Amino acid sequence: MLSRHVSGPEAEGPPRVDTKTTGIQEQPSSVIMKSHIEPMKDMERERAGASFKRAELETFMAGGEDQLQLRQRCAEALKSDPNFSKESRYFLGREKLYKTTLKQQLLLPAKVAQMGEANPLVAAKMLREMLDEPGGLDLHVGMFIPTIQGQGDAEQQRFWLPLAYKTRIIGTYAQTELGHGTFLRGLETTATFDPDTDEFIVHSPTLSATKWWPGGLGKTSNHAVVMARLFTGGQDRGPHAFIVQLRSAEDHAPLPGIIIGDIGNKMGYNAVDNGFLRMDHVRIPRRNMLMKHSQVDQDGTYHPPQVAKASYGTMVFVRADIVT
């Protein structure tokens, strides 16, 4: 009797399957082969019978020949660099996935520079899409920076944007709370102006005021654009955007009054460190309120925006980007 298990190369010892066994199997196998279709040949036949040219569709979907060639160069740039390999992605634990994806995001600027494209921003966006894994820097690029661009005045943009562009600071966008999401008027985080010190006191007065879910908040960010209800002179002025430092630039430890952490594993997007944030009477300078559309003077005088919903701009921008 032949052994059912082999411990070494099949070339050693007698054949594993005898001629009687193969003879019995020959007729059933011939029946199967009569209807068997090789998947690759099936695909080739379908493509050959298409009413359009594959190359023309590929060019159209890419947005033109120039975009198609750029996409091909971007794909080759990532494929040829082992730092961007996706082979083991689905076998990584959350911590390793987070670190690997963050490393890839941090390597992208150098990769863009290496490619030397005429429009590096377009190339960077395309490379980012090809990474196909959201990470800890997504809200820094996708919401923190755009909020400063759209809601900061000229002086604030000159100060904050160079730091953000060079990742000297890393930010996120803290709007969603345990009790409220896109219903901005219901937010419970407050920013109360103290004219004696020319500061705002940012505070989470209730459990449901806890900021919950912002990407990059759990571990990566040391700053945040915090959406809070502005109070001046005892009046509720509605939601406004404030830049709040969360962690030390020296050791990344939470600053006094900042209660912050990671919310843990999720059903997906586990390379993103979604987090929670509570603030206990945290003081920030008056000029940390983004003041392109509305302003608070040193004496507490409030100048409302011409368009009341101006502070909704970043979230509307992101929602539109998701849809398109």
Side-chain angles (χ1 to χ4, degrees):
M1 177 181 290
L2 294 175
S3 173
R4 301 175 68 90
H5 302 281
V6 292
S7 58
E10 291 189 8
E12 298 178 4
R16 189 183 65 83
V17 181
D18 58 35
T19 55
K20 179 184 177 183
T21 301
T22 58
I24 293 172
Q25 178 60 40
E26 185 175 350
Q27 191 269 339
S29 294
S30 66
V31 173
I32 296 299
M33 291 304 295
K34 289 178 181 179
S35 59
H36 172 68
I37 299 175
E38 287 289 342
M40 291 301 296
K41 292 182 179 180
D42 193 34
M43 291 175 63
E44 290 172 1
R45 183 171 57 255
E46 290 296 324
R47 287 170 175 168
S51 59
F52 56 86
K53 294 182 179 179
R54 181 191 61 80
E56 292 180 358
L57 177 62
E58 185 179 20
T59 301
F60 174 77
M61 295 293 291
E65 184 64 32
D66 290 344
Q67 290 298 302
L68 175 60
Q69 292 181 9
L70 174 60
R71 181 168 292 275
Q72 292 170 343
R73 292 195 298 272
C74 287
E76 182 57 34
L78 295 182
K79 182 180 178 181
S80 61
D81 189 335
N83 286 310
F84 296 98
S85 172
K86 301 180 182 180
E87 288 184 0
S88 62
R89 173 180 294 176
Y90 297 106
F91 301 94
L92 298 179
R94 181 167 184 257
E95 186 70 17
K96 183 67 173 178
L97 179 63
Y98 163 74
K99 291 180 178 179
T100 299
T101 304
L102 189 61
K103 175 184 176 182
Q104 291 175 341
Q105 290 183 326
L106 290 170
L107 288 173
L108 279 183
K111 181 61 64 177
V112 174
Q114 182 183 19
M115 290 179 65
E117 297 292 337
N119 193 331
L121 290 179
V122 174
K125 185 175 186 296
M126 197 169 290
L127 288 169
R128 170 63 193 85
E129 291 172 354
M130 289 181 177
L131 283 185
D132 194 30
E133 184 70 63
L137 287 176
D138 275 83
L139 262 68
H140 174 74
V141 176
M143 297 190 75
F144 182 73
I145 289 175
T147 303
I148 298 172
Q149 291 172 329
Q151 300 191 39
D153 62 27
E155 181 183 356
Q156 290 172 324
Q157 291 188 37
R158 285 194 298 270
F159 178 79
W160 292 107
L161 289 178
L163 297 173
Y165 289 153
K166 297 177 182 178
T167 60
R168 298 286 299 278
I169 62 171
I170 298 175
T172 185
Y173 182 84
Q175 173 180 299
T176 301
E177 299 176 352
L178 273 175
H180 302 86
T182 53
F183 176 47
L184 264 68
R185 287 179 297 161
L187 295 181
E188 296 177 339
T189 302
T190 60
T192 306
F193 184 61
D194 180 358
D196 292 337
T197 61
D198 199 29
E199 295 174 319
F200 290 105
I201 303 167
V202 186
H203 185 59
S204 308
T206 64
L207 177 62
S208 54
T210 303
K211 297 298 184 183
W212 186 265
W213 205 261
L217 181 62
K219 301 177 181 180
T220 311
S221 301
N222 53 25
H223 284 69
V225 168
V226 174
M227 294 300 297
R229 279 160 63 176
L230 168 65
F231 281 79
T232 63
Q235 295 189 50
D236 183 355
R237 308 293 187 177
H240 289 68
F242 301 83
I243 295 180
V244 180
Q245 184 173 354
L246 308 176
R247 294 179 169 101
S248 167
E250 301 299 325
D251 60 6
H252 209 58
L255 295 180
I258 298 295
I259 304 165
I260 192 171
D262 187 272
I263 67 173
N265 282 337
K266 309 176 293 291
M267 292 182 68
Y269 284 9
N270 276 309
V272 180
D273 52 320
N274 298 86
F276 65 86
L277 169 67
R278 289 185 56 78
M279 290 158 286
D280 183 6
H281 299 89
V282 175
R283 286 181 174 270
I284 62 172
R286 176 176 58 88
R287 288 289 295 164
N288 278 33
M289 171 182 158
L290 296 180
M291 295 193 183
K292 180 177 181 179
H293 302 294
S294 54
Q295 300 82 35
V296 173
D297 295 337
Q298 192 169 355
D299 63 2
T301 301
Y302 174 67
H303 303 276
Q306 293 182 350
V307 179
K309 294 180 175 59
S311 60
Y312 296 17
T314 301
M315 185 55 67
V316 172
F317 164 76
V318 171
R319 293 291 186 264
D321 187 55
I322 292 173
V323 172
T324 56

